[in-house]
């Protein structure tokens, strides 16, 4: 279908669009609850119960986030052309495409891409790696902090003493646990918390850069790339460079 001299092209399939917006909502919620957790003392949240409740909310949203990321990872192998990893992660010929694109955006006729442009591919690849890092470190902390799945039952079994059932131990309460094992657990989980926090900061920075470049590309190159994440379609006056006849 075309309107005026614009041609409409299908790009993002429904699965990719649903992933994008579920991910966006989960990441905003996770950053919000994560920040409340980080500044809990300053916010006057001091009770252990409130601390555990915040972590539980964060972890439950984290599960939705994790399923969504895992599904997207699979979709990158079985989904439609532009959703596939081979069209997203930099591979053969990428450096040349990036160079050509960078030259073109300084000219009066920037190259238009139906899928992600080469700079977008770099940003998306980095974001996916960060999302995986957040998922893995978050799931480890969910198990080691509040004994939640998938690792929680193994952790509880490891630190519990001989007279207690793993189901009866409570986060942040040493009753029924072996002191030396709890201290081993503390050293084990610490680096995961550090990576989780610093990756969250990097992710926040990349999200801001991503939004800035998406708005800039939309204004300079057209192609309706923001509305395409809702409709799945982009509009172009000329044929995009990454489409075959
Ligand atoms: C993009 C996704 C995510 C973001 C931006 C995020 C952000 C944060 C932030 C800012 C904190 C506070 C760090 C601190 O208190 O030191 C935190 C802690 C935590 N997150 Fe996430 N998180 C994400 C995903 C997840 C996932 C998927 C899970 C698990 C299902 C998870 C579980 C946890 C846990 C258990 C903590 C507490 C760790 C601690 O007390 O140090 N997070 N997260």
């Amino acid at each position: 279908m075309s309107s005026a001299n614009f041609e409409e092209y299908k790009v993002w399939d429904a699965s990719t669009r649903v992933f994008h917006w579920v991910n966006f909502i989960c990441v905003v919620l996770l950053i919000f609850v994560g920040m409340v957790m980080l500044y809990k003392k300053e916010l006057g949240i001091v009770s252990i119960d409130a601390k555990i409740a915040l972590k539980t909310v964060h972890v439950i949203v984290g599960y939705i986030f994790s399923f969504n990321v895992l599904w997207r990872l699979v979709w990158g192998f079985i989904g439609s052309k532009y959703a596939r990893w081979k069209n997203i992660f930099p591979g053969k010929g990428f450096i040349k495409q990036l160079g050509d694109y960078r030259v073109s955006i300084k000219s009066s006729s920037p190259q238009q891409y139906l899928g992600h442009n080469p700079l977008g591919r770099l940003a998306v690849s980095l974001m996916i790696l960060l999302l995986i890092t957040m998922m893995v470190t978050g799931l480890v902390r969910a198990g080691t902090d509040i004994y939640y799945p998938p690792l929680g039952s193994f952790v509880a079994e490891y630190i519990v003493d001989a007279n207690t059932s793993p189901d009866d131990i409570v986060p942040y309460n040493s009753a029924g646990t072996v002191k030396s094992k709890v201290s081993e657990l503390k050293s084990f989980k610490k680096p995961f918390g550090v990576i989780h926090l610093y990756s969250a900061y990097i992710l926040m920075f990349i999200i801001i850069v991503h939004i800035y470049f998406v708005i800039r590309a939309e204004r300079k190159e057209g192609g309706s790339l923001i509305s395409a994440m809702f409709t799945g379609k982009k509009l172009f006056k000329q044929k995009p460079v990454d489409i075959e006849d």
Side-chain angles (χ1 to χ4, degrees), residues 39-53:
Y39 292 103
K40 56 186 176 300
K41 275 198 198 112
E42 292 78 353
L43 293 166
I45 303 168
V46 283
S47 83
I48 292 286
D49 285 348
K51 196 171 151 177
I52 296 173

Side-chain angles (χ1 to χ4, degrees), residues 25-50:
I25 294 167
C26 287
V27 170
V28 169
L29 287 174
L30 288 165
I31 290 176
F32 177 74
V33 182
M35 284 297 149
V36 174
M37 280 153 67
L38 198 56
Y39 292 103
K40 56 186 176 300
K41 275 198 198 112
E42 292 78 353
L43 293 166
I45 303 168
V46 283
S47 83
I48 292 286
D49 285 348

Side-chain angles (χ1 to χ4, degrees), residues 27 31 35 122-123 125-131 133-134 194-210:
V27 170
I31 290 176
M35 284 297 149
L122 279 183
S125 305
L126 194 55
M127 280 193 277
I128 293 285
L129 292 179
L130 283 166
L131 296 180
T133 308
M134 294 310 296
V194 174
I195 297 172
H196 196 74
L197 180 61
Y198 285 99
S199 301
Y201 287 138
I202 300 172
L203 185 64
M204 286 180 228
F205 175 72
I206 306 280
I207 290 171
I208 292 167
V209 174
H210 170 67

Side-chain angles (χ1 to χ4, degrees), residues 33 37 40 45-60 145-148 170-173:
V33 182
M37 280 153 67
K40 56 186 176 300
I45 303 168
V46 283
S47 83
I48 292 286
D49 285 348
K51 196 171 151 177
I52 296 173
L54 275 174
K55 270 192 192 175
T56 308
V57 171
H58 186 82
V59 166
I60 289 168
D145 274 18
I146 53 172
Y147 317 132
Y148 264 53
V170 179
Y172 304 102
N173 185 333

Side-chain angles (χ1 to χ4, degrees), residues 1-2 12 19 22 31 59 62 75 87 98 118 120 128 133 135-136 143 159 174 176 184 186 223-224 239 243:
M1 210 223 299
S2 68
W12 307 124
F19 161 77
V22 171
I31 290 176
V59 166
W75 195 245
N87 291 316
L98 181 65
I128 293 285
T133 308
M135 176 178 77
V136 172
I159 59 170
S174 59
E184 263 178 50
K186 263 193 188 147
S224 54
K239 206 173 101 185
I243 195 166

Side-chain angles (χ1 to χ4, degrees), residues 168-219:
D168 294 337
I169 58 168
V170 179
Y172 304 102
N173 185 333
S174 59
T177 61
V178 178
K179 213 175 160 195
S180 62
K181 292 201 168 164
V182 171
S183 115
E184 263 178 50
L185 179 65
K186 263 193 188 147
S187 338
F188 169 77
K189 72 181 185 177
K190 199 172 173 205
F192 290 94
V194 174
I195 297 172
H196 196 74
L197 180 61
Y198 285 99
S199 301
Y201 287 138
I202 300 172
L203 185 64
M204 286 180 228
F205 175 72
I206 306 280
I207 290 171
I208 292 167
V209 174
H210 170 67
I211 294 173
Y212 168 79
F213 277 106
V214 166
I215 293 173
R216 200 181 85 146
E218 169 104 22
R219 292 181 61 182

